[in-house]
Amino acid sequence: MIRNLNYQITKESDSILQFLKEHGYSSNLIVHLKKTPESILKNGIWSYVNEPLHIGDTLHIHIEENEGSDNIVPNEIPLSILYEDEDILVIDKPANMPIHPSINHYEQTLANGVLWYYTAQQIPYTFRCITRLDRDTTGVTLLAKHMLSASVLSKAMQQKQIQKEYLALCDGVTPEEGTIDAPICRAADSVIERCVDFENGDSAVTHFIREWTNGQISLVRVRPESGRTHQIRVHMGYIGHPLPADYLYNPVYDTFKRQPLHSLQLKFCHPITGTPMCLMAPVPEDMSNAF
């Protein structure tokens, strides 16, 4: 993957290094640039990162990755691409598809499909998923296409600057709206399962609004403040309204074949341009048929 970026310097900077850090370049990326010939050009001249920048200077950055995720086998899988540019790829992930390969599941994941997509274009690609979803959760999934966009978006995630909104179908009639503030941790004797634990858990906050109910199930719009594993599934179950067909927390399959949870919308600033973005994925048929 290759990305070229040009900056017109509008204020003094003590060094190129300082400028790059201010623009989201990670330490690993800066080391990578220093090792790549002519990856940092000031006014067209290959430069050291300790050189100062003055008003009117032009800084050219060349990011080149010639090796991809060689440990991921490319699989020809249809991808529903919501948006793509030089810096990000946004996919509408289907149900029953893990994000990453794992033990006993090395293929047919989102990573395998994305690797095929770029391999077919003869583009080396390192798989970097920013917003991960559970295997059976559908919807908007954000990927970075190079080291800089990954660095900026990862920091945005840590600082809670990427807003996520989900739709979920839950058992029973939920309150019209509410906030669940209940810490979550790994359940005892389980690698996968999570639970609410006020003594040992990490802070987790979920806001929800009920959009519809038929008296037996409710459609809720959910906005998690934090990003704990299985947060929505655990929190809705904690208040007595679990998601049906959730193989871990509520394995009842009379109405659904998988947990009806959908990543509806992501709001974030573009990692390079800073432009506010809002990307949405259509509600899958198995959920829309229920309401």
Side-chain angles (χ1 to χ4, degrees):
M1 192 69 69
I2 293 175
R3 182 67 163 101
N4 290 297
L5 295 151
N6 292 299
Y7 301 96
Q8 192 68 37
I9 306 305
T10 57
K11 68 174 183 178
E12 301 286 323
S13 184
D14 290 340
S15 66
I16 294 173
L17 177 63
Q18 177 186 337
F19 179 90
L20 294 178
K21 287 183 175 180
E22 289 174 353
H23 284 75
Y25 287 69
S26 67
S27 297
N28 287 339
L29 175 51
I30 292 170
V31 169
H32 176 80
L33 293 173
K34 289 164 69 175
K35 291 180 178 179
T36 306
E38 299 190 351
S39 62
I40 302 173
L41 302 179
K42 186 179 78 169
N43 301 325
I45 301 171
W46 189 8
S47 302
Y48 294 104
V49 295
N50 62 354
E51 294 184 24
L53 288 171
H54 304 292
I55 295 172
D57 284 344
T58 298
L59 182 66
H60 174 80
I61 301 296
H62 175 78
I63 301 172
E64 182 172 348
E65 297 179 82
N66 294 315
E67 296 181 1
S69 297
D70 294 334
N71 58 326
I72 299 176
V73 179
N75 292 153
E76 188 172 4
I77 301 171
L79 298 176
S80 178
I81 296 176
L82 299 171
Y83 177 85
E84 183 179 14
D85 62 21
E86 291 183 282
D87 307 300
I88 60 175
L89 174 68
V90 184
I91 292 174
D92 182 5
K93 189 187 84 66
N96 194 31
M97 178 182 282
I99 294 287
H100 293 280
S102 59
I103 297 174
N104 300 323
H105 200 140
Y106 295 106
E107 301 192 26
Q108 301 302 310
T109 72
L110 184 66
N112 299 113
V114 173
L115 260 292
W116 175 273
Y117 175 69
Y118 287 114
T119 298
Q121 301 175 59
Q122 299 183 332
I123 298 174
Y125 177 73
T126 299
F127 185 78
R128 299 181 177 100
C129 188
I130 304 301
T131 57
R132 302 177 185 180
L133 300 178
D134 298 332
R135 183 193 68 191
D136 285 334
T137 302
T138 57
V140 186
T141 309
L142 174 61
L143 284 74
K145 289 182 66 172
H146 52 75
M147 296 174 75
L148 177 56
S149 57
S151 174
V152 174
L153 290 170
S154 295
K155 185 175 181 179
M157 278 287 290
Q158 293 171 2
Q159 297 179 347
K160 301 180 181 179
Q161 294 172 348
I162 298 179
Q163 297 179 21
K164 308 175 190 177
E165 195 169 277
Y166 294 79
L167 286 180
L169 285 160
C170 304
D171 285 343
V173 180
T174 69
E176 289 188 2
E177 60 181 73
T179 294
I180 306 164
D181 187 350
I184 292 174
C185 72
R186 182 175 293 166
D189 303 322
S190 176
V191 175
I192 302 174
E193 190 175 349
R194 266 49 177 185
C195 65
V196 169
D197 187 327
F198 283 90
E199 291 186 5
N200 304 307
D202 295 315
S203 173
V205 177
T206 303
H207 307 281
F208 69 90
I209 297 174
R210 189 181 74 216
E211 300 285 355
W212 169 89
T213 185
N214 65 359
Q216 296 179 324
I217 59 173
S218 297
L219 174 70
V220 293
R221 188 182 292 259
V222 187
R223 184 173 62 83
E225 271 190 28
S226 38
R228 307 300 175 196
T229 301
H230 303 169
Q231 179 172 321
I232 294 172
R233 297 158 62 188
V234 170
H235 270 177
M236 297 312 295
Y238 173 70
I239 65 169
H241 299 285
L243 278 63
D246 185 329
Y247 75 99
L248 268 181
Y249 305 107
N250 187 31
V252 180
Y253 300 95
D254 24 358
T255 52
F256 293 94
K257 301 302 181 185
R258 58 101 184 178
Q259 66 204 26
L261 182 60
H262 178 64
S263 173
L264 177 67
Q265 176 178 277
L266 280 183
K267 288 183 178 180
F268 60 99
C269 288
H270 191 279
I272 306 303
T273 67
T275 303
M277 304 193 73
C278 178
L279 293 164
M280 300 184 70
V283 181
E285 188 175 350
D286 63 343
M287 288 182 64
S288 62
N289 287 342
F291 57 91

